[in-house]
Amino acid sequence: RCGHCVASCPHAALDHTKAPLAAQIPLGDFPVLDADTAARFLRSRRSIRRYKPDGVPQETLLRLLDIARFAPTGGNTQGLSYLVVSDRGLMKKITATVIDWIEQQARTGVAWVKPYTRIADAYRKTGRDVVLRDAPHLIVALAPKNFPLGEKNTRYSLAYAELYAPSLGLGTCWAGFFEMCAFAGHPALYDLLAVPADMAITGAIFAGWPVYRYQRLVDRDPLKVDWR
């Protein structure tokens, strides 16, 4: 079902009912990126937190997610679906719901939430969207609740979306505060998004047209490797 046997035959002599030869795209002499170009491409991925107010056409978002579905998954299980939120009013309600949840956790004395109370304070004082960063779109990945690989498969899938997004002129960022609230199973958030009872939110990114274009590649901590 993964299609490897059909894809690797140099003579196109193999076919498979679950990975039909007719549905596969010939690579031909498609050039493999040289090492330096590939390294620059991977290093150029940035978390974008400032967006233009313009919405992204639906067909562009579909192109983004169509690539995301080709990401590797455990045992080729796949199993993900997506919810794209574009309604401005709903986006504001999502941010307010996440802030409410952070404050609820703080009131109950949950230790790990303390560093994030500043996020809620900033929202209350300024009204600034510190959860979804005023992005025009939120992409939410969903998987069946009884699917153990849902979150792991989502990480690969949305990472593909992040890497592909700049080629479409888009910027993306992981919706970390949204994910914390969703992974805790906060009922108000699930109700707001009308998530089916048998489904779970397994990850999210926000997306849109970036305000700024980066001119340089930033560095990271030095590489640490042990050899045995």
Side-chain angles (χ1 to χ4, degrees):
R1 183 169 173 263
C2 67
H4 288 336
C5 57
V6 180
S8 62
C9 179
H11 305 290
L14 298 178
D15 207 346
H16 197 292
T17 55
K18 292 188 176 180
L21 177 64
Q24 295 197 356
I25 300 174
L27 280 173
D29 296 324
F30 179 77
V32 176
L33 292 178
D34 65 82
D36 288 341
T37 302
R40 286 195 172 211
F41 163 68
L42 292 170
R43 286 188 60 186
S44 66
R45 188 219 67 86
R46 301 293 301 166
S47 294
I48 304 300
R49 295 181 176 87
R50 290 291 301 277
Y51 295 91
K52 297 176 182 178
D54 315 65
V56 178
Q58 192 174 92
E59 55 268 28
T60 303
L61 294 172
L62 285 173
R63 287 185 69 186
L64 181 70
L65 292 176
D66 197 46
I67 287 298
R69 71 186 175 94
F70 288 104
T73 59
N76 195 33
T77 49
Q78 303 178 58
L80 303 178
S81 59
Y82 305 91
L83 170 65
V84 181
V85 182
S86 304
D87 181 86
R88 297 283 182 170
L90 182 54
M91 296 281 275
K92 290 182 181 297
K93 289 179 181 178
I94 290 171
T95 292
T97 299
V98 172
I99 293 296
D100 288 343
W101 175 78
I102 290 174
E103 292 175 334
Q104 288 173 16
Q105 299 303 301
R107 286 195 295 271
T108 59
V110 177
W112 64 263
V113 82
K114 288 182 179 179
Y116 303 111
T117 54
R118 60 181 176 80
I119 298 298
D121 292 341
Y123 173 79
R124 297 299 183 197
K125 291 175 182 177
T126 66
R128 185 166 53 91
D129 185 354
V130 291
V131 175
L132 301 180
R133 302 286 178 168
D134 290 316
H137 306 283
L138 174 67
I139 298 171
V140 181
L142 303 170
K145 283 184 176 178
N146 61 358
F147 181 40
L149 294 176
E151 287 189 25
K152 289 184 178 180
N153 287 356
T154 295
R155 281 292 175 267
Y156 304 135
S157 173
L158 294 182
Y160 260 43
E162 275 206 306
L163 289 170
Y164 185 54
S167 71
L168 301 174
L170 298 175
T172 59
C173 186
W174 289 93
F177 296 117
F178 172 90
E179 286 189 340
M180 288 193 299
C181 182
F183 293 168
H186 187 45
L189 185 61
Y190 272 72
D191 291 344
L192 190 61
L193 293 173
V195 177
D198 61 338
M199 300 293 283
I201 295 172
T202 52
I205 58 175
F206 41 86
W209 306 115
V211 170
Y212 304 113
R213 181 177 181 272
Y214 287 88
Q215 305 296 325
R216 285 162 286 280
L217 299 176
V218 300
D219 202 1
R220 290 286 178 91
D221 292 340
L223 177 66
K224 297 178 181 179
V225 181
D226 283 335
W227 304 94
R228 297 287 186 271

